[in-house]
Amino acid sequence: DITSNTTDTFIGNEDIKPELFEEIEFGAEGQLFNRRLSFDVSYYTRTTTDQIVQNQRIPASTGATFTYANIGQIDTKGIEADLGLNIFKSDTRGFDWKLNVNYTAYESEVIDLGQDTDQVPYAGFTNLGNLATVGDPLGAIYGSRVARDENGNLIVDSAGNYVAETA
C-alpha cells in the first residue's frame, strides 16, 4: 500500500464578494422578402464590478500559492450581428436550406483593480501570462522578449539560456 497526501494550491478567500454587472443593450431584428432574409443587430455596454479571478498569487507561507480575488471594474462594449438567408424554402414543409453568418466584436478595458496595484496576474506562469492591468483589455497576455546585442543577435548566457530583455 502506498499512502500519499497532497494539499490544494488554492486557498479560500473569506473577503470574496459576488461579481456584479450592469448592462444596456440596444438592438433590432427583422425579416424581409417573405422571410427569406433575416437580420439581428445589437450593441451593448457592460460594467462589471468585483470580477472574480482565479490564480491570484499569494505567499507560499500561507500553505497555498493561489486564491480567488475580486478585481475592481471592467468596462466592455460590443456589437453582435447575424444575417440569415433562406436559400431554399419548401412550400410543402419538405426541405429548407438556411445559411446564417454571425459577426461579433467587443472591447474591454480594466478601469480599476480595487487593490493597491496597477497589475493583477491571474493566469500563466511566474512573469508571463494574463495580467489585469489598468487601461488594458482584460485577458491581455504579457511576456518577456529575448535580449539582443547591438548587431541584433540573440544574447545567450554562460549556461546556454537566452537572456530576457529588461526594461
Side-chain angles (χ1 to χ4, degrees):
D1 291 340
I2 297 175
T3 304
S4 67
N5 293 320
T6 61
T7 58
D8 198 348
T9 59
F10 280 89
I11 192 170
N13 182 350
E14 63 187 31
D15 297 325
I16 204 84
K17 300 178 209 162
E19 180 177 312
L20 302 172
F21 67 89
E22 295 177 5
E23 183 173 72
I24 297 174
E25 183 172 346
F26 300 99
E29 63 180 84
Q31 297 177 344
L32 303 169
F33 308 116
N34 196 23
R35 296 186 175 181
R36 288 200 177 267
L37 182 66
S38 62
F39 64 91
D40 185 349
V41 179
S42 61
Y43 172 82
Y44 66 92
T45 61
R46 172 186 280 189
T47 298
T48 305
T49 54
D50 294 322
Q51 177 145 356
I52 298 172
V53 295
Q54 308 178 53
N55 297 350
Q56 170 85 40
R57 291 182 183 89
I58 56 173
S61 60
T62 62
T65 51
F66 301 101
T67 189
Y68 296 93
N70 295 107
I71 55 173
Q73 178 181 332
I74 294 96
D75 286 351
T76 307
K77 60 183 176 183
I79 186 169
E80 299 174 351
D82 186 72
L83 182 63
L85 177 63
N86 195 336
I87 296 170
F88 181 81
K89 184 175 180 182
S90 172
D91 293 332
T92 61
R93 294 185 165 191
F95 176 77
D96 285 354
W97 183 12
K98 297 178 182 177
L99 175 69
N100 278 53
V101 177
N102 183 279
Y103 173 79
T104 302
Y106 74 95
E107 294 178 0
S108 70
E109 181 181 0
V110 177
I111 303 300
D112 177 37
L113 291 172
Q115 302 177 15
D116 192 22
T117 183
D118 290 334
Q119 289 185 333
V120 173
Y122 65 92
F125 302 102
T126 53
N127 66 337
L128 306 172
N130 297 90
L131 300 179
T133 305
V134 174
D136 286 347
L138 184 66
I141 300 173
Y142 292 80
S144 57
R145 295 188 334 186
V146 176
R148 294 180 180 267
D149 63 18
E150 59 277 352
N151 296 324
N153 300 314
L154 299 175
I155 300 175
V156 179
D157 64 17
S158 60
N161 298 316
Y162 291 114
V163 176
E165 190 175 272
T166 57

